[in-house]
Amino acid sequence: MFFQNQKDDNALLNKIYKKGIVSRYLQFIFGVLLVALAFNIFILPNDIVCGVSGLGVIFYRTLGIDPALVILIGSIILLILSFALLGVEKTKNSIIGSLLYPVFVKLTQSFIQFIDLGTTETIVTILFGGVIFGLGLGLIFKAGFTTGGTDILNQILSKYFKISIGNSMFFTDGLIIFISLFIFGWQKFIYSVIFIYIISVITDKVILGISNSKTFYIITEHEKSVKNFIINHLSHGVTVLEGRGGYTGNSQKVIMCIIPTKEYFLAKEGIREIDPNAFFLVTDTYEVFGGE
């Protein structure tokens, strides 16, 4: 089934976004709460800079402006740009997060007085804060929302300058962190880089989950033996795909199978024993639907 016009595409998107709407909103709100708590407990006290939240930290330390206000103003400006440059459809799922996040930052500011980290090493608080922040972001993204901010700017740069989202993130977040270097020094700069890395890892884990399986794509001259090994000894099904060499143009079979991670070593070494010259590609598999 395919969709022939924009109207059909929009109908599909509306249908998707209506699924489990109550649970998704609850997950989204909890995620925003975690991100706001992480900001006030871990980011602001340690002068960690990332995204629009980082601008809140910079303006608070240099001019004494309430970080929640800075985040709100920055988010509104980016929302306006998003409406003008990306359109309504691309913007509407960023509206709630863009406005709710600074509100939660303001509401959770008083939590700092109840949480005393004492003499805890800074690097430990950075790591723990990154986990909490990443967990919150992961819940937000998994629910189909965003907190706006530099996410909007990244989409704008990607669309109009024809660069990937990853490169856009490198430019926007990198620029903000680079500015912090001249304000907070090298140590806080390094902490910010570590913090962003932890966020990215945890966010991916929340969205995708932990890989419990591996997918093997195998090209071998001993197709029958490899299939028998996987089916009879590992007790897993296989699918044989039709392939063609890009350079030679010759037809060849590609064996695809999904193996539990705990059996990865056995599968890999078994294939190599059967055919030392076999070519195979292994990727993480996060979800498997259908089949037996």
Side-chain angles (χ1 to χ4, degrees):
M1 181 178 181
F2 61 92
F3 298 88
Q4 297 180 335
N5 53 57
Q6 187 65 37
K7 185 177 180 180
D8 289 335
D9 289 339
N10 291 337
L12 174 63
L13 289 174
N14 289 331
K15 183 177 180 180
I16 291 172
Y17 282 124
K18 287 179 181 179
K19 286 185 176 181
I21 189 166
V22 174
S23 61
R24 284 178 49 241
Y25 268 100
L26 290 174
Q27 179 177 306
F28 160 68
I29 292 171
F30 182 62
V32 176
L33 177 61
L34 287 180
V35 171
L37 284 171
F39 176 83
N40 281 312
I41 297 171
F42 302 104
I43 293 178
L44 188 59
N46 292 291
D47 297 331
I48 301 303
V49 174
C50 61
V52 175
S53 299
L55 294 178
V57 174
I58 291 173
F59 277 92
Y60 176 70
R61 294 302 184 197
T62 56
L63 301 175
I65 302 175
D66 188 337
L69 179 61
V70 175
I71 295 171
L72 178 61
I73 293 173
S75 296
I76 291 174
I77 292 173
L78 288 170
L79 279 175
I80 294 171
L81 285 175
S82 182
F83 272 115
L85 300 176
L86 298 177
V88 176
E89 288 299 319
K90 287 279 189 179
T91 306
K92 63 182 183 181
N93 288 323
S94 300
I95 297 175
I96 300 177
S98 296
L99 301 178
L100 192 62
Y101 175 48
V103 171
F104 273 31
V105 167
K106 185 65 178 178
L107 293 176
T108 56
Q109 283 178 349
S110 60
F111 280 57
I112 301 176
Q113 61 184 315
F114 301 111
I115 300 176
D116 182 14
L117 297 177
T119 58
T120 306
E121 291 287 341
T122 303
I123 188 62
V124 175
T125 62
I126 297 303
L127 294 174
F128 190 72
V131 170
I132 300 300
F133 199 97
L135 176 60
L137 277 184
L139 291 174
I140 292 168
F141 294 156
K142 195 170 185 178
F145 298 91
T146 76
T147 54
T150 52
D151 289 334
I152 293 174
L153 191 56
N154 294 334
Q155 292 181 58
I156 293 173
L157 290 176
S158 178
K159 178 178 179 180
Y160 288 94
F161 291 91
K162 308 301 180 184
I163 59 177
S164 68
I165 290 292
N167 287 332
S168 300
M169 291 174 62
F170 179 79
F171 177 78
T172 55
D173 290 331
L175 181 60
I176 294 172
I177 294 176
F178 184 70
I179 292 172
S180 75
L181 172 62
F182 299 96
I183 300 173
F184 302 123
W186 278 103
Q187 187 177 48
K188 298 297 177 67
F189 171 80
I190 294 171
Y191 284 153
S192 295
V193 173
I194 294 173
F195 190 83
I196 289 178
Y197 175 75
I198 297 299
I199 289 174
S200 65
V201 171
I202 299 300
T203 300
D204 282 347
K205 292 300 180 185
V206 173
I207 295 173
L208 297 175
I210 298 173
S211 172
N212 293 317
S213 302
K214 306 292 183 186
T215 298
F216 280 71
Y217 296 92
I218 310 157
I219 298 174
T220 174
E221 295 181 356
H222 302 277
E223 176 194 341
K224 186 174 181 179
S225 297
V226 171
K227 285 194 301 183
N228 287 338
F229 170 71
I230 295 171
I231 294 171
N232 298 324
H233 294 279
L234 299 182
S235 300
H236 298 297
V238 301
T239 298
V240 180
L241 309 175
E242 294 290 340
R244 182 164 58 87
Y247 179 73
T248 64
N250 296 332
S251 297
Q252 55 192 19
K253 305 290 186 181
V254 180
I255 300 172
M256 184 191 78
C257 61
I258 298 172
I259 305 292
T261 299
K262 63 184 179 181
E263 297 179 22
Y264 166 74
F265 174 79
L266 185 61
K268 181 186 71 171
E269 293 303 321
I271 295 168
R272 292 176 66 180
E273 284 294 323
I274 295 170
D275 182 5
N277 296 316
F279 171 85
F280 56 92
L281 169 69
V282 184
T283 63
D284 284 321
T285 302
Y286 295 95
E287 290 185 298
V288 179
F289 295 98
E292 293 295 331

